[in-house]
Amino acid sequence: MNVTVIVLLGIVGVVLLVAGIVVLVKVLVGRLSSSSQSAIAQQFADSSVAKSDPMANFFGLGSKGGAQVRGNGALVLTESELWFRRIGSSTPLRIPLQDIDGADVTGSHAGKTVGRSLLRVQFRTGTVTDSAAWLVESPESWVNAINGDKLP
């Protein structure tokens, strides 16, 4: 075999490997999304869900700083709370709407950024103020939905 054939076979092999990885990732993301959608369906009646994102990427709590691990999961806004459960966790983060001081769009949170806009929510737990952020589709629409009742 000459060098040209070997190089072409190598290129074809790399292309096939990359294509296989892309397909595998799409299948895994699809399964994770289905798992989150099932969690939403089990936890909430359709009529109580104002907004949801089964693959919201959690950037953590502001109070815990940048050492937290990000993770995807189900984010749900109802008439009474903002609810998030990370894939693989059984304990949700529940933020009653009356404890939310406001929501906005930010470029980073807890020292983390991805070059896209994030939904950030400021809330109170007792006397302590904290914040949480997620990478979601259309963060502005989440801000409007959360802040809707808080406008003067």
Side-chain angles (χ1 to χ4, degrees):
M1 265 194 237
N2 66 29
V3 174
T4 304
V5 171
I6 293 172
V7 170
L8 286 174
L9 287 174
I11 291 171
V12 168
V14 169
V15 168
L16 289 174
L17 178 64
V18 169
I21 291 170
V22 168
V23 168
L24 179 63
V25 167
K26 286 188 175 212
V27 167
L28 289 176
V29 168
R31 286 185 182 171
L32 293 174
S33 179
S34 293
S35 169
S36 286
Q37 288 172 337
S38 294
I40 293 170
Q42 289 173 356
Q43 187 72 29
F44 301 98
D46 284 343
S47 61
S48 71
V49 175
K51 289 189 76 59
S52 68
D53 185 338
M55 289 299 289
N57 189 330
F58 184 53
F59 274 60
L61 296 172
S63 62
K64 292 190 177 181
Q68 303 167 79
V69 176
R70 288 188 353 215
N72 289 65
L75 180 64
V76 177
L77 176 64
T78 71
E79 61 187 24
S80 62
E81 70 178 337
L82 185 65
W83 182 93
F84 175 76
R85 189 172 79 195
R86 189 181 345 228
I87 294 170
S89 173
S90 59
T91 306
L93 170 63
R94 300 181 93 124
I95 306 171
L97 291 187
Q98 72 260 15
D99 293 345
I100 294 177
D101 294 325
D104 63 359
V105 174
T106 187
S108 65
H109 182 73
K112 301 173 193 169
T113 186
V114 290
R116 292 178 52 197
S117 296
L118 306 173
L119 164 66
R120 179 176 51 193
V121 176
Q122 297 86 25
F123 61 96
R124 289 169 273 105
T125 305
T127 59
V128 178
T129 301
D130 207 345
S131 61
W134 294 266
L135 177 62
V136 293
E137 288 296 322
S138 185
E140 296 84 2
S141 69
W142 282 85
V143 168
N144 292 337
I146 293 167
N147 287 339
D149 293 342
K150 300 184 181 310
L151 297 176

Coordinates of all heavy atoms in Angstrom, one line a residue, residues 1-14:
M1 N 0.8 -1.2 0.0 CA 0.0 0.0 0.0 C 0.9 1.2 0.0 O 1.9 1.3 0.7 CB -0.9 0.0 1.3 CG -2.2 -0.5 1.1 SD -3.2 -0.1 2.5 CE -3.7 -1.7 3.0
N2 N 0.4 2.2 -0.8 CA 1.2 3.4 -0.7 C 0.7 4.4 0.4 O -0.3 4.2 1.0 CB 1.2 4.1 -2.1 CG -0.1 4.6 -2.5 OD1 -0.9 5.0 -1.7 ND2 -0.4 4.7 -3.8
V3 N 1.4 5.4 0.6 CA 1.2 6.4 1.7 C -0.2 7.0 1.5 O -0.9 7.3 2.5 CB 2.3 7.4 1.7 CG1 2.0 8.5 2.7 CG2 3.6 6.8 2.0
T4 N -0.6 7.4 0.3 CA -1.8 8.0 0.0 C -3.0 7.2 0.5 O -4.0 7.7 1.1 CB -2.0 8.4 -1.5 OG1 -0.9 9.1 -1.9 CG2 -3.3 9.1 -1.8
V5 N -3.0 5.9 0.2 CA -4.0 5.0 0.6 C -4.1 4.9 2.1 O -5.2 4.9 2.7 CB -3.9 3.6 0.0 CG1 -4.8 2.6 0.6 CG2 -4.0 3.7 -1.5
I6 N -3.0 4.8 2.8 CA -2.9 4.7 4.2 C -3.5 6.0 4.9 O -4.3 6.0 5.8 CB -1.5 4.5 4.7 CG1 -1.1 3.1 4.3 CG2 -1.4 4.6 6.2 CD1 0.4 2.8 4.5
V7 N -3.1 7.2 4.3 CA -3.6 8.4 4.8 C -5.2 8.5 4.6 O -5.9 8.9 5.5 CB -2.9 9.6 4.2 CG1 -3.6 11.0 4.5 CG2 -1.5 9.7 4.6
L8 N -5.6 8.1 3.5 CA -7.1 8.2 3.2 C -7.8 7.2 4.1 O -8.9 7.6 4.7 CB -7.4 7.8 1.8 CG -7.1 8.9 0.7 CD1 -7.3 8.4 -0.7 CD2 -7.9 10.1 1.0
L9 N -7.3 6.0 4.4 CA -7.9 5.1 5.3 C -8.0 5.7 6.7 O -9.0 5.5 7.4 CB -7.2 3.8 5.3 CG -7.5 2.9 4.0 CD1 -6.6 1.6 4.1 CD2 -8.9 2.5 3.9
G10 N -6.9 6.3 7.1 CA -6.9 7.0 8.4 C -7.9 8.1 8.5 O -8.6 8.2 9.6
I11 N -8.0 8.9 7.5 CA -9.1 10.0 7.5 C -10.5 9.4 7.6 O -11.3 9.9 8.4 CB -8.9 10.9 6.3 CG1 -7.6 11.7 6.4 CG2 -10.1 11.8 6.1 CD1 -7.2 12.4 5.1
V12 N -10.7 8.4 6.8 CA -12.0 7.7 6.8 C -12.3 7.1 8.2 O -13.4 7.3 8.7 CB -12.2 6.6 5.7 CG1 -13.4 5.8 5.9 CG2 -12.2 7.3 4.3
G13 N -11.3 6.5 8.8 CA -11.5 6.0 10.2 C -11.8 7.0 11.2 O -12.7 6.9 12.0
V14 N -11.1 8.2 11.1 CA -11.4 9.3 12.0 C -12.8 9.8 11.8 O -13.5 10.1 12.8 CB -10.3 10.4 11.9 CG1 -10.7 11.6 12.7 CG2 -9.0 9.9 12.4

